Structures are given as structure tokens and as C-alpha cells.
Amino acid sequence: MSPLAKLFEHARQYRRSAILASIYSALNKFFDVLPEVLIGVAVDVVVSKQDSFLAKLGVVDTQSQLIWLGVLTVLIWGGESLFQYLYSVEWRDLAQNLQHKLRQEAYAHVQKLELGWFENRSSGNLLAVMNDDINQMERFLNTGANAILQIVCSSILISIVFFALAPKLALISLLPVPLILWGTFWFQNRLAPRYAEVREAAGQINGRLNNNLYGIATIKSYAAEDFEAAHVEAASQNYVQTNAAAIRLSSAITPVIRMAILAGFVVTLVYGGWMALHGQIAVGSYSVLVYLTQRLLWPFTGLAEIADLCQRSMASIDRVLALLNTPIGIPYAGAALPRAQVAGEVVFDNIGFSYDGVHATLTDINLTLPAGKTVGFVGSTGSGKSTLIKLLLRFYLPQHGRVRVDGRDVAEFDLQDLRRSIGYVAQEPFLTDGSVADNIGYGMPHATRAQIEAAGKAAEAHDFITRLPQGYDTPVGERGQKLSGGQRQRIALARAILKDPAILVLDEATSAVDNETEAAIQRSLAQVARGRTTLVIAHRLSTVRHANVIHVLEHGRIVESGTHDALLVANGSYAALWRLQTGESVTL
């Protein structure tokens, strides 16, 4: 199935619009061909007078014949203009609606893909698919689809007229048409892989630009502008070279088509003229054939541009549909999990997990986290702390064992219900480009201003928020760049508090904040952790010292568990970390 057929198979709801647009295009071309026929009829009236074609239809008077020709001309031009307006509107509406639907579907589908899928993909390439490729498809539907239809319709209509007036001449004059079409498709088949490479190269540029804009502060601080500019230049040069290879091939289409057109036109002009001189066809018919040959064949010179646009679009459509057909590794459907019914007990039952399938990240993890308790996880970087949280949130699936909430495997639950029951505060919180209030109320569209401010107070963020120029209505900028790291972290905590989850997760939430912010987060945590299961992952042991139990991970295994005081007494890994961070000695 061709990419275009796949596209319309996917978007069945727009078939009526596509059919209607195609009908309007065909009718426009029908009226577009008729003026050339009228020219021949007019010549016939002037030359043959009372013996003309119109006279045979009953209009004998030559003046009446000319009046009728004028009326028909007005009607034909009116019909052509009407259907041109209709097909323009219909094709453009179709292009706009379809690109909107595809972009929404692509983004919605991408959001449902598991995190492991993103780790092997370039964000810039994804942006290219969801934006540039879909726009390329829109450009084809705006102009290319109509152009192809009109060439087909004009070929059929003009061929009918040719064979009706001069069958022998038609056979010779129209001989280039199948050759032109065959040559165009021959070139298209060779253009397809080249334009697939062009789209990949465009995605690489997007990836490089996206990465550099995100890290612009680091680039500036290391005076690496020239270094990164060279990377962008290399990616852009690769795009230019890839595109040039396609352009060289597509540019060869027009000269080949022109020569075939020349052959057909010369045959009509010379052989048709000879037939008219010898009385085999009427002078009016000869005029019609000359004009129609030009009307038929010269538009074929535009096939090069149409083929170019078509192949670019087909490559783009393939990429968009390939994205939409990417299987979702972690299904969303499952049993309902109402927030009010979640007590919050979490069990990691014999968990084994590896990101690459070779090197184990977690091995034989068996933990029970009682409902309503605060549990701390500490350990060196790469020990597996954050991976436990990702398994709880079902960002990934364990290769061995199960994660259970309130005694049931999390795989049984509706994925969104599960995640609505969990409040998550990451080390680098995501803030949307909106106001402070928008970010605290993120994912809670029905939250009132009073509830948002109450959450801000609970996170000890209210004071600094009210000092901002517009208070809770202050824009935070893209990714919250107008705020400090500590301010972003406290807004993220307020967001989790507003969510009122049964399970609260803080993943390194204090690792990149100052002492004052850490103290504020700890005070907030002491309040909001009451009555809910709280999982705290921390490098700073001061963040978890008051937890009901602390688990120490090393190389994906739990090596110690206990309260802060009990672990200090045990004088193991935790005590060593405590001494390292505080400089205190441990009294045994």
C-alpha cells in the first residue's frame, strides 16, 4: 500500500472531503478544457458560416452563433472559477484538518510510549516528525494532490476530444503521454530513498539545535560557541549534501519531459496541418487540436516539481505513520483505582531489573513499605534508588518479580489511575511555560485559587511567590527559567501536595538546593507526610534522618535497613556516609 493510501486509510473520517475535493478538481478541469474547444468552434463559425458545427445544431444565423459563443464562454468561465474556488477551499480545509489530526494523534501516541523508547531516540528527530514532516504532508495536499488529479483529468478529456476529431492524429500526438508518465514514476521510485535520507538529516539538525538551545548556559560558560557552531554547520552541511543528491535527480525530470512534449506538439502542428490542408479535418478542428495539445502537454513540465513535492511528502507520511504504528510497550488499560481507596502500602517482591538486558540494575529486591510511613533510600550514584521509583510508576517493567500496591500488582491497574495516586517530585522538576499558579495546579484543572495558595503555603513557597511581580500570576518562563532552582523545587512540591496523593515520592528533591531550601522542604515534608506513604530518595542523609526506616542500596542490592540511629550504631555503609557528609564521629 502506498504512503498516501495508508494516510487516507488511517484518516477515514476525511474520505468525504477528499472525494468532494477530487470532484471539484475534475469539474474545474472539465470547464478549463472547454475554452479551447470554443476557439475551434469560433474559427469554424468564421470560416464555414452557415455550414458550421453550430449551424448543424440549429443555430443558422452567424450573428446568433457568435452570441451563443459569448454566452457559453461566460458560463464556462463562471463554472471554471466556481469550481476552482470550491476545490481550493476543500483541499486546504482537508490539509489543515488532517495535519491537525495527525499532529494530535502523533503527540498523544508519543506520550503513551514507555521511557525506554525515548532513551534510544533523538528529541530533535521526534520534533521533525511531528512538525516538519506533518507540514510537508500538508503542503502536498494543498497543491500537489490537485495538480496530479487535474493532469489525469485533462489527459482523459483531451484524449476523448482528440479521438473524436482525428483518431489517427491522436494515436501519434498522444504517444508521448504514457512515456512521460512512465518516466515520472521511474524517477519517483529512485527519489523515494533519497528523500527518506533527507528527512533523517533534517531530524539530525533539529536534534542538534534543540540540544544546544537547552544547554545554552553551559555553552556560554565554557565559551564553546564556536565549537557548537561547527557541530551545527556539520549537521547542516550533511542536510545540504543529502538534499543535493535528491535535487540532482529530480532536476533531470523536466528536460526529459520537455523533449517528449516537443515531439507530440510538432506532430500535431505539422501532421495536423497537412490533414487540414488536404481536407481530412476541418480548420476549426485543427485549431482545437493545436490548442489542446499545448494545454495537455505543457502542464506535464510541472510534473518535475509535483514529483519532487510528492516524494518529499511520501517520505514524511511514512515517518509519521511509522511513529503512529510504534507499539505501546506498557498498556494503559486496567482496573480502576479510585484515589480514596488507596491505603498506600507498597511491596517490591523479588524485583530484578536491567536497562540493557545485560547489566543488572536491581537484583533480588524484597521490600515492604507500610502504608502511611516515611521510607528513605540512600546509596551511591547508580545504586538503583531512582529505578525503584520508576518501576513503581511503571515507567519501566521489571524483568523479574512484581511491584504491588495494597496487595495488588500495579500491572493490573489503569495506568493513569495508578499515577494519579502518586505524587512525584523529581531532582529537576518540569515547569510549564505558564504562571506560578498554572504550575502548582498542573494536572488539576479544577483546583481553586484558594487550594493552590494553600498548597503553596504547605510547601513554604507562599512567601517568595507573593514577592514576585505578579504573585501567583507571575510567568515562570520556559522550563521555569525565570525562577531559581530552589524556587522551582518548592513549586514542584506544592504541585505534589495539591494532588493529595496516597503515595508521595521525592527523588533527590534536595540534592541541588541550598540549606535554607532543604530545611524548608524538610519542614514541609514533616507536615505533608502525615497519613500518606512517603518515599524519599536522597544523597543528603539529613533529608532522611527522621524517616521511619532507611534502606541503603549498593550495586542494585539492599545492604542495610533500619532507622537513622540504628544504622549509625551498626557502623556500616550508612554510618560511613554520615561521617563523610557531616564530619561527625559515631559513638558506639
Side-chain angles (χ1 to χ4, degrees), residues 55-118:
K56 295 176 182 178
L57 295 178
V59 185
V60 179
D61 181 63
T62 54
Q63 187 172 351
S64 298
Q65 293 178 13
L66 292 174
I67 292 173
W68 272 106
L69 282 175
V71 171
L72 288 173
T73 300
V74 171
L75 292 175
I76 288 169
W77 279 68
E80 180 187 1
S81 300
L82 172 64
F83 288 111
Q84 181 174 8
Y85 168 78
L86 291 174
Y87 83 63
S88 296
V89 171
E90 200 67 36
W91 278 118
R92 289 174 182 175
D93 283 349
L94 173 63
Q96 291 296 317
N97 291 332
L98 192 51
Q99 65 91 12
H100 174 72
K101 172 182 169 64
L102 275 181
R103 185 173 286 114
Q104 292 298 105
E105 284 188 5
Y107 179 69
H109 187 77
V110 164
Q111 286 192 121
K112 293 181 180 180
L113 296 172
E114 63 278 11
L115 281 184
W117 185 86
F118 289 92

Side-chain angles (χ1 to χ4, degrees), residues 377-379 510 518 522 538-547 550 552 564 568 573-582:
F377 293 93
V378 300
T510 62
E518 182 189 12
Q522 287 180 349
H539 276 300
R540 294 183 181 181
L541 301 188
S542 56
T543 306
V544 297
R545 65 179 299 178
H546 299 298
I550 301 168
V552 183
H564 171 76
L568 289 182
S573 299
Y574 183 87
L577 287 171
W578 181 259
R579 289 193 296 271
L580 181 65
Q581 291 185 15
T582 65

Side-chain angles (χ1 to χ4, degrees), residues 162-461:
F162 253 82
F163 279 100
L165 295 177
K168 186 187 297 185
L169 178 60
L171 286 173
I172 302 174
S173 300
L174 299 180
L175 185 62
V177 172
L179 296 176
I180 291 171
L181 295 175
W182 177 84
T184 302
F185 286 118
W186 185 88
F187 275 104
Q188 275 191 327
N189 290 334
R190 279 147 185 80
L191 278 171
R194 286 174 170 80
Y195 279 128
E197 294 173 2
V198 169
R199 299 314 308 155
E200 287 296 325
Q204 290 173 9
I205 294 177
N206 276 354
R208 174 59 63 182
L209 292 173
N210 180 65
N211 183 70
N212 287 5
L213 291 175
Y214 182 76
I216 192 67
T218 302
I219 292 171
K220 287 179 174 293
S221 66
Y222 279 87
E225 290 92 340
D226 292 342
F227 177 75
E228 290 300 341
H231 277 165
V232 172
E233 181 183 4
S236 182
Q237 186 63 35
N238 178 51
Y239 175 77
V240 169
Q241 292 173 352
T242 306
N243 211 11
I247 290 171
R248 282 192 295 270
L249 183 59
S250 66
S251 298
I253 302 176
T254 299
V256 173
I257 291 175
R258 281 183 178 274
M259 297 310 296
I261 289 170
L262 178 62
F265 186 73
V266 168
V267 167
T268 303
L269 189 67
V270 176
Y271 183 56
W274 182 88
M275 293 177 72
L277 288 172
H278 288 79
Q280 295 185 20
I281 58 173
V283 174
S285 298
Y286 174 61
S287 302
V288 171
L289 294 176
V290 170
Y291 280 113
L292 286 182
T293 303
Q294 185 177 20
R295 175 55 67 94
L296 169 64
L297 295 179
W298 283 112
F300 278 102
T301 58
L303 275 178
E305 291 184 6
I306 297 171
D308 188 78
L309 177 60
C310 180
Q311 281 309 131
R312 287 178 183 269
S313 301
M314 295 308 103
S316 294
I317 290 169
D318 267 339
R319 280 160 52 89
V320 174
L321 295 182
L323 178 61
L324 285 169
N325 291 327
T326 302
I328 297 172
I330 301 177
Y332 269 57
L337 183 64
R339 161 65 184 89
Q341 297 179 15
V342 181
E345 181 191 63
V346 178
V347 176
F348 295 95
D349 183 8
N350 197 33
I351 294 295
F353 179 77
S354 169
Y355 286 102
D356 60 9
V358 177
H359 304 94
T361 304
L362 294 173
T363 305
D364 298 331
I365 300 295
N366 288 282
L367 285 175
T368 297
L369 315 181
K373 302 297 182 181
T374 298
V375 181
F377 293 93
V378 300
S380 59
T381 300
S383 60
K385 307 182 299 296
S386 295
T387 302
L388 283 172
I389 304 306
K390 292 174 182 177
L391 294 178
L392 171 62
L393 287 162
R394 291 193 73 207
F395 291 161
Y396 296 90
L397 301 177
Q399 281 89 23
H400 303 288
R402 295 184 299 170
V403 181
R404 298 201 298 269
V405 170
D406 294 345
R408 296 176 63 185
D409 192 335
V410 293
E412 298 177 14
F413 298 126
D414 177 90
L415 192 54
Q416 291 193 320
D417 279 358
L418 172 68
R419 290 172 179 170
R420 289 190 185 104
S421 301
I422 302 172
Y424 178 61
V425 182
Q427 180 178 356
E428 296 182 6
F430 166 75
L431 296 188
T432 187
D433 188 8
S435 67
V436 171
D438 291 336
N439 278 280
I440 293 176
Y442 188 74
M444 303 285 290
H446 303 298
T448 65
R449 177 54 68 95
Q451 291 172 324
I452 288 172
E453 292 186 6
K457 292 174 182 177
E460 295 204 15

